[in-house]
Amino acid sequence: MIEVHLGDITRLQVDVIVNAANQHLQGGGGVDGAIHRAAGPGLLEACRKIGGCPVGEVRATPAFSIPVKRIYHTVGPVWRGGNLGEPELLASCYRQCLALARRENVHSIAFPAISCGVYDYPPEQAVEIAVEQVQQHLDRDCEPQRIVFCCFDEAMAELYRQQLEAYVRR
Ligand code: APR
């Protein structure tokens, strides 16, 4: 089941929330800032111990004060025009998070719109990749059985709804 949710990802009742982090895993603004504020200082310490994460990959931590089981920190690409591997790197973020969720027996996971804020990825193109990767995963596998696209504004939520409908009609 795929859901589109409008609101703050730190308030969702799921097993895992995904963070749109940076390569240093040292916190930042946007959804990263919101997650660190809600989780508390233990999260920054756990991230520092991991040391960093390459673009397109994922690292997991406990969730500290956020009532989910784990936080997956993935690093989306900075949009530089689209010819520097951005689509493949963004797809890799979703694939790696879903593969890790599968290995960790996660039943529900929520994604923010990775790279669509500070990293400037054109939302329509990012949403197309996000939906495609999630649908492809669910075509092969039934877990995680609940996948949530968590959007911070209605315009982004509408893009996901349209893309999900378009994918089903293909
Ligand atoms: N819940 C859900 N979504 C949120 C939240 C929140 N609390 N806060 C922001 N967002 C949305 C933004 O509106 C945007 O659509 O998350 C999307 C991703 O935006 P960013 O957080 O800016 O992430 P990204 O573009 O991947 O940039 C990552 O930002 O703060 C830094 O450390 C982070 O350097 C990294 C960069």
Side-chain angles (χ1 to χ4, degrees), residues 7-9 20-22 27-32 34 113-119 152 156:
D8 181 354
I9 201 166
N22 56 60
V31 70
D32 197 6
I114 301 163
S115 286
C116 290
V118 175
Y119 283 179
F152 218 39
M156 187 64 81

Side-chain angles (χ1 to χ4, degrees), residues 16-17 21 45 47 77 112 126:
V16 167
I17 57 172
E45 212 173 295
C47 286

Side-chain angles (χ1 to χ4, degrees), residues 8 19 25 27 38 40 49 51-52 60 62 66 69 79 99 102 122 126-127 132 140 148 154 160 163 166:
D8 181 354
N19 182 19
L25 296 185
K49 278 190 191 139
I66 299 177
K69 290 181 183 154
W79 178 259
R102 192 67 190 92
V127 166
E132 193 173 47
R140 293 189 300 267
V148 182
E154 175 53 32
Y160 278 99
Q163 193 58 45

Side-chain angles (χ1 to χ4, degrees), residues 94-95 98-99 101-102 131-144 147:
Y94 287 94
R95 269 201 307 274
L98 291 164
R102 192 67 190 92
V131 167
E132 193 173 47
Q133 291 306 315
V134 164
Q135 293 275 17
Q136 281 179 9
H137 178 85
L138 289 175
D139 286 346
R140 293 189 300 267
D141 213 325
C142 53
E143 291 283 0
I147 299 175

